[in-house]
Amino acid sequence: MSLKQRFFLLFISFVSFVFYLLACNQTWTKFFVDSLSNPKTSGLFCLDKYLYGDLYGLSYLKDFKEWNSQVQDTRKAGATTRAIDLYCIGDSYLASELTISNENAFLANASVKSFSWYGISSPKKILIDKSKKNVLLVECTERNVRINFSEKEPFIHSFIFDSNLLTSIPESKFKNDFKHRLLQTTFWKFIPENINQNLEMMLFGYKFFEPIKELKADFNYYFFERVAPKVSISPNKRNIYYRSTIDTSYLSSSFKYIPYEEINNIVFKINAIRNFYTQRGFDDVLFSFIPNPATIIEAGRMRYNNLLPDIRDNKNIQAGFIDVYEIFKNYPHPELLYKRTDTHWTSLGFQIWVDKLNQELLSF
Amino acid sequence: MLFNSIQFLFFFITVTALYFVVPDKIRWFLLLLASCWFYMAFVPVYILILLFTIIVDYSAGILIERAENRGKKIYLIASILANVGVLALFKYYNFFSSNINTIFNFSNINYSLPIYALVLPIGLSFHTFQAMSYTIEVFRGNQKAEKHFGIYALYVMYYPQLVAGPIERPQHILPQLRKRYEWDSERFKNGILQMLWGLFKKVVIADRLALFVDFVYKDPSHQPSLNIVVAIVFYSFQIYCDFSGYSSMAIGISRIMGIDLTENFRTPYFSKSMIEFWTRWHISLSSWFRDYLYIPLGGNKVSEVRLYFNLFIVFLISGLWHGASWGFVIWGLLHGILIIINNIKRKYFSWAIKVPDIINILFVFTLVSFAWIFFRSPSLDIAMTIFRQIKEGGWHLSGFNSNEVVYCFILIIFLLIKEYFDSKTVFVGIKHFYFKATLGAFAIYLLGIFSENQFIYFQF
């Protein structure tokens, strides 16, 4: 083999290894992908996974391909701004970079002084000013309620809010977590579980490959009525959902039976979280569980498990709720509340929720 | 990591490209490192078990070669006990304990053996048998003990065949691990096409058939008879494509690197008798049992009754090798009985009217397919339900898209035609490589099911 051939193979090996390493770490993968793509353009290397909605990104069905715009709160600012600092431990429904395009309007209509959002699965230490009125909002989508508030201590407890991060906040909790994670990784899981998804995103997650991905999806859908495992199509073929919110073999299904003991456990956890954070500087803790699109739009398909009303109406509940279930359920055209090709709400659904938040904050 | 994953693609490219860059003398080290990485991608800590058996067998090989008669036997027995002990602990302990506990319960004995939550190390049955093959061949004087620890470790851990075979013999593999090999573009093309064909069999055929089979086996009591029969046929091809697909990939990967692995399948569903079936299906395992169990038991150089007893034992153990459950045991016993009947027919009924080959082929396929029911069923109850539903269900297809069922049959026919012509064709070189490779890759992407389905034989 010539020297030139050896160098070529060495180069191939190096590039392949670099891709492999990048895919082992979520942050590195994101850095690589962000470097190449720009969601605001329609370039060839633009990431297509969320351009047309996360459900399109899971299925690549042409019938469910609509431009995914951020929600907007376009109403005029409210008359008064309450001196409330609103902190949110939540998911993508309220994440500004993913969802809300006009944060100032949201702040104004929510009538709060400031709004800070933290991902529910990324515990952090956060500085708060205890001389101000601080309200914590714990938000998650309905499909994650039974998972996030399950038997084991929910990781929501892992957030640390303190007015002085330089004081002796026990670091051991984070250190032990690191040591525990290291041991787990070394002995039980060497390579991250999502390495294949990361590699797929780095290699094939671009608009460039859209036609071939759509061809595959359409072939399976039109010939065999088969869609990607993570999605489910409604019987009238007009809507698409996360399969886990429809299929009753999943805990997160809107139609999976819930025993009453589990509702009591969830309420117990909610109250414990409320007490935990009110003892640590918050004036109050509110909860908001956003209904699954399937709960609202496919209400007649199967028997709803009544998760949200049962929690809200439980006699032991102590926390306040930003509850939009009844309003969404009774809305004349419920399909307008959620995006057709994405699991998140539309601007209309979001605005209804903000109005409800405002009503609840009036009591402060 | 699975062969049908993107992760493996990058692993393969990295390792294979580096293989041709590094000097010959350290290629074994690169492959050993890669094999360790490959194995640890499943459960890292289990490499310690592999290391234990490697040390035991490496040492045993050297000691057997140096020792005199009685000593040789002692070291061989110690090596076999160590290997079988590890296999017994991780694979069979819970099975035997739970059955003994059932007997205790039934007899009102107030004691139960503990059951442990042990995860089966991947490929345990395969590399254990390959390791035992080494010490036995050294004992028999057919193989010199390998003095180089790294080369021996690579013999056991060589990643393309580490987790699902083919089970190799030391005489075949050890010399190849030392051989100096230069880049050969014909071998490269051949290897790539072999890999693509293996991947096609797995993700396009096996995983597509699995959708129907899993649907039927999930709740067989509500399935019509036609669904059951179609699922039985589909499973025969699913397991064939799954396993032979893996073997094809392993052979293709090795071929690129200049290493030839044993062919593990030879169109088994064209067999005209059960005896022939076992010379074509999982060849490396059946030859292992022939050489290390059947022949030491006396083979066919014993009385007729003893011959049948030997066959019975071999297939009972073969069933158990596949898994620790009564389903696998019954599957093995069924094959044993069918082989015995075949032997009786050959001996006493050779005068019977010869039937056309196609009838024999269909007959053998039917027998094998019915035996697969026990192999596939997660419990004996499910297996019995399957048999009952063949008789009691209705003769219509339901719950599954009929286009997809037709498509599955088309895939099966394509497979049979291709394999038939491949078996009749003499290899004369690769033509139109780039066209075939591109078409193959495109077909795999377009038609394949990519839901990270593990290969069936990985669980053994």
Side-chain angles (χ1 to χ4, degrees):
Chain A
M1 187 177 271
S2 70
L3 201 60
K4 201 170 152 187
Q5 283 171 320
R6 279 183 201 267
F7 269 116
F8 175 68
L9 285 174
L10 189 61
F11 173 72
I12 296 285
S13 179
F14 176 74
V15 168
S16 174
F17 185 62
V18 164
F19 265 94
Y20 192 96
L21 271 186
L22 284 174
C24 286
N25 184 291
Q26 198 67 38
T27 310
W28 298 343
T29 303
K30 194 170 181 307
F31 172 76
F32 175 85
V33 161
D34 286 348
S35 308
L36 269 186
S37 69
N38 184 344
K40 292 191 169 63
T41 71
S42 55
L44 284 177
F45 286 99
C46 181
L47 258 193
D48 69 354
K49 201 163 173 59
Y50 302 108
L51 263 185
Y52 304 105
D54 51 16
L55 293 171
Y56 168 81
L58 288 173
S59 63
Y60 288 101
L61 289 168
K62 273 216 283 267
D63 282 358
F64 299 99
K65 185 178 182 179
E66 291 174 3
W67 188 259
N68 185 29
S69 53
Q70 288 179 303
V71 300
Q72 298 192 39
D73 194 357
T74 54
R75 295 165 297 180
K76 289 189 181 149
T80 55
T81 300
R82 286 184 281 274
I84 294 174
D85 285 353
L86 182 65
Y87 293 85
C88 174
I89 300 174
D91 58 22
S92 52
Y93 271 77
L94 293 178
S96 57
E97 65 198 26
L98 296 175
T99 315
I100 305 166
S101 68
N102 191 344
E103 203 168 301
N104 289 332
F106 164 57
L107 282 176
N109 279 288
S111 302
V112 295
K113 204 109 200 276
S114 75
F115 173 74
S116 310
W117 175 91
Y118 305 98
I120 200 166
S121 50
S122 305
K124 279 183 163 48
K125 288 186 283 187
I126 300 131
L127 188 67
I128 65 169
D129 185 350
K130 287 185 182 173
S131 65
K132 293 187 177 168
K133 203 169 200 64
N134 299 302
V135 175
L136 178 64
L137 169 68
V138 178
E139 175 271 324
C140 84
T141 178
E142 182 187 357
R143 71 173 182 271
N144 290 327
V145 169
R146 294 175 79 176
I147 298 163
N148 286 345
F149 294 84
S150 63
E151 282 297 321
K152 293 181 194 165
E153 184 170 316
F155 48 74
I156 298 163
H157 280 126
S158 301
F159 282 80
I160 294 178
F161 292 90
D162 204 282
S163 53
N164 186 352
L165 290 175
L166 295 175
T167 58
S168 53
I169 294 166
E171 286 279 350
S172 58
K173 187 178 173 50
F174 288 97
K175 271 189 182 161
N176 281 341
D177 281 347
F178 173 73
K179 198 169 151 187
H180 176 73
R181 279 201 311 270
L182 183 65
L183 278 172
Q184 286 286 311
T185 307
T186 311
F187 286 102
W188 299 110
K189 200 70 198 172
F190 190 68
I191 289 165
E193 276 165 8
N194 56 358
I195 186 172
N196 286 309
Q197 288 94 304
N198 289 346
L199 280 167
E200 199 182 324
M201 198 186 320
M202 284 199 294
L203 286 178
F204 306 119
Y206 311 107
K207 266 183 82 74
F208 183 75
F209 291 106
E210 227 167 72
I212 191 167
K213 287 188 275 193
E214 285 177 355
L215 177 65
K216 181 182 170 81
D218 288 346
F219 168 76
N220 279 289
Y221 183 50
Y222 290 116
F223 281 106
F224 311 132
E225 292 179 335
R226 190 169 287 287
V227 294
K230 287 189 175 168
V231 300
S232 175
I233 308 291
S234 60
N236 63 6
K237 312 251 189 266
R238 281 167 48 188
N239 300 96
I240 183 171
Y241 306 100
Y242 268 143
R243 184 178 296 273
S244 62
T245 61
I246 299 277
D247 188 338
T248 54
S249 61
Y250 292 88
L251 194 66
S252 42
S253 169
S254 299
F255 310 106
K256 185 175 176 73
Y257 170 71
I258 305 174
Y260 203 67
E261 298 75 34
E262 190 177 339
I263 299 284
N264 284 336
N265 281 338
I266 292 171
V267 167
F268 179 83
K269 291 292 178 196
I270 289 170
N271 293 339
I273 292 166
R274 181 180 178 273
N275 293 338
F276 182 83
Y277 285 112
T278 48
Q279 283 164 15
R280 281 159 178 79
F282 283 98
D283 294 281
D284 203 353
V285 179
L286 302 173
F287 289 79
S288 184
F289 300 143
I290 315 299
N292 291 330
T295 300
I296 303 300
I297 303 171
E298 298 288 323
R301 184 161 160 177
M302 282 183 272
R303 193 174 165 183
Y304 176 48
N305 58 18
N306 241 33
L307 171 67
L308 300 184
D310 282 350
I311 292 173
R312 181 196 65 205
D313 299 337
N314 190 284
K315 62 180 189 295
N316 296 317
I317 195 84
Q318 292 165 7
F321 268 89
I322 315 298
D323 176 42
V324 292
Y325 169 71
E326 293 297 335
I327 304 173
F328 276 24
K329 192 182 81 156
N330 296 319
Y331 200 80
H333 296 284
E335 63 277 4
L336 297 177
L337 300 168
Y338 295 93
K339 295 178 186 176
R340 196 170 155 263
T341 65
D342 190 277
T343 49
H344 299 90
W345 47 24
T346 56
S347 301
L348 176 61
F350 174 61
Q351 284 163 15
I352 293 172
W353 181 86
V354 172
D355 287 343
K356 258 306 203 166
L357 172 70
N358 258 335
Q359 275 178 27
E360 191 65 33
L361 291 176
L362 275 175
S363 60
F364 288 93
Chain B
M1 64 186 87
L2 303 176
F3 274 14
N4 54 326
S5 65
I6 296 184
Q7 186 194 166
F8 178 75
L9 174 67
F10 280 86
F11 170 84
F12 164 73
I13 292 171
T14 307
V15 171
T16 308
L18 263 181
Y19 180 82
F20 289 103
V21 169
V22 301
D24 292 331
K25 283 190 184 143
I26 61 167
R27 277 182 180 168
W28 68 268
F29 182 69
L30 169 71
L31 282 182
L32 184 61
L33 211 62
S35 300
C36 289
W37 184 277
F38 181 83
Y39 193 77
M40 289 168 75
F42 295 101
V43 178
V45 72
Y46 279 175
I47 200 161
L48 297 175
I49 298 167
L50 201 49
L51 187 62
F52 168 73
T53 57
I54 286 170
I55 291 170
V56 164
D57 295 323
Y58 169 77
S59 311
I62 292 171
L63 291 169
I64 288 171
E65 196 173 62
R66 286 184 195 162
E68 297 301 320
N69 288 331
R70 194 154 173 258
K72 280 183 188 300
K73 257 194 192 152
I74 291 170
Y75 291 127
L76 176 67
I77 289 168
S79 158
I80 289 174
L81 281 177
N83 283 290
V84 171
V86 168
L87 195 57
L89 173 66
F90 281 94
K91 197 162 176 178
Y92 301 111
Y93 172 79
N94 283 343
F95 172 63
F96 285 113
S97 295
S98 57
N99 280 287
I100 289 169
N101 288 344
T102 305
I103 295 170
F104 283 167
N105 260 341
F106 193 69
S107 319
N108 291 322
I109 297 172
N110 193 18
Y111 177 77
S112 58
L113 291 169
I115 305 282
Y116 298 107
L118 291 169
V119 174
L120 182 66
I122 204 135
L124 181 66
S125 304
F126 287 93
H127 62 72
T128 300
F129 268 38
Q130 182 148 320
M132 286 202 289
S133 161
Y134 167 77
T135 46
I136 294 171
E137 292 297 326
V138 171
F139 175 80
R140 287 179 177 178
N142 298 332
Q143 170 67 33
K144 286 182 77 61
E146 178 56 60
K147 305 286 191 297
H148 192 306
F149 181 77
I151 297 283
Y152 177 73
L154 183 58
Y155 162 74
V156 177
M157 289 188 70
Y158 178 57
Y159 84 85
Q161 40 100 225
L162 171 62
V163 292
I167 301 169
E168 290 291 346
R169 303 300 173 87
Q171 301 93 317
H172 187 230
I173 282 293
L174 280 170
Q176 293 191 75
L177 297 178
R178 301 191 123 91
K179 200 172 77 173
R180 194 190 162 120
Y181 172 68
E182 288 299 327
W183 167 268
D184 182 327
S185 61
E186 280 300 305
R187 284 188 74 111
F188 173 78
K189 289 175 186 173
N190 191 293
I192 291 290
L193 290 181
Q194 185 88 332
M195 283 178 70
L196 285 173
W197 175 232
L199 193 57
F200 184 92
K201 280 194 282 190
K202 166 61 180 166
V203 302
V204 176
I205 304 179
D207 288 350
R208 180 73 64 173
L209 297 176
L211 296 173
F212 189 84
V213 171
D214 292 349
F215 166 73
V216 168
Y217 273 84
K218 195 170 160 189
D219 184 17
S221 58
H222 293 108
Q223 302 290 337
S225 303
L226 192 54
N227 272 26
I228 299 283
V229 169
V230 170
I232 291 170
V233 171
F234 279 7
Y235 184 70
S236 298
F237 286 100
Q238 178 198 339
I239 191 167
Y240 170 64
C241 289
D242 193 287
F243 195 11
S244 70
Y246 175 89
S247 293
S248 294
M249 290 191 75
I251 290 168
I253 292 164
S254 300
R255 190 160 291 164
I256 292 169
M257 294 190 286
I259 296 168
D260 286 318
L261 295 183
T262 309
E263 205 67 41
N264 219 6
F265 294 89
R266 266 192 318 115
T267 57
Y269 291 141
F270 288 126
S271 304
K272 296 182 271 300
S273 69
M274 288 305 298
I275 293 174
E276 190 184 354
F277 177 78
W278 279 102
T279 64
R280 291 169 174 252
W281 176 276
H282 203 173
I283 297 167
S284 63
L285 180 72
S286 55
S287 62
W288 195 101
F289 275 118
R290 181 196 63 213
D291 294 341
Y292 301 126
L293 187 59
Y294 177 67
I295 288 173
L297 283 174
N300 59 6
K301 299 193 189 327
V302 291
S303 68
E304 195 177 332
V305 170
R306 179 59 196 261
L307 165 67
Y308 300 149
F309 176 76
N310 291 346
L311 286 170
F312 191 79
I313 293 294
V314 166
F315 279 94
L316 169 67
I317 294 176
S318 172
L320 263 178
W321 178 90
H322 282 84
S325 80
W326 288 112
F328 291 117
V329 172
I330 292 173
W331 171 83
L333 287 176
L334 270 177
H335 274 271
I337 292 167
L338 291 171
I339 290 283
I340 291 168
I341 293 171
N342 201 168
N343 273 282
I344 293 171
K345 179 186 171 268
R346 273 193 184 179
K347 189 169 179 184
Y348 295 109
F349 299 96
S350 55
W351 49 264
I353 299 167
K354 296 259 183 282
V355 297
D357 285 348
I358 184 69
I359 304 289
N360 283 325
I361 289 170
L362 287 172
F363 183 61
V364 169
F365 177 78
T366 306
L367 292 174
V368 167
S369 297
F370 275 101
W372 283 133
I373 293 173
F374 291 97
F375 197 91
R376 172 61 180 82
S377 299
S379 69
L380 289 182
D381 281 340
I382 298 281
M384 290 300 117
T385 306
I386 293 277
F387 280 110
R388 194 178 59 241
Q389 283 302 109
I390 293 171
K391 207 176 68 167
E392 292 176 8
W395 284 94
H396 58 273
L397 273 177
S398 93
F400 212 76
N401 185 284
S402 51
N403 287 347
E404 200 163 15
V405 175
V406 170
Y407 170 66
C408 288
F409 276 111
I410 292 171
L411 286 174
I412 290 171
I413 292 166
F414 168 74
L415 168 79
L416 291 170
I417 291 172
K418 185 185 181 320
E419 297 222 320
Y420 176 78
F421 282 108
D422 282 349
S423 67
K424 303 288 181 206
T425 310
V426 175
F427 179 72
V428 290
I430 309 286
K431 288 180 189 170
H432 314 299
F433 165 72
Y434 293 103
F435 171 72
K436 284 179 183 169
T438 308
L439 183 67
F442 181 72
I444 286 166
Y445 175 74
L446 188 67
L447 307 175
I449 304 285
F450 292 95
S451 51
E452 300 205 2
N453 282 344
Q454 196 179 63
F455 286 86
I456 293 172
Y457 267 71
F458 267 33
Q459 62 190 299
F460 309 135

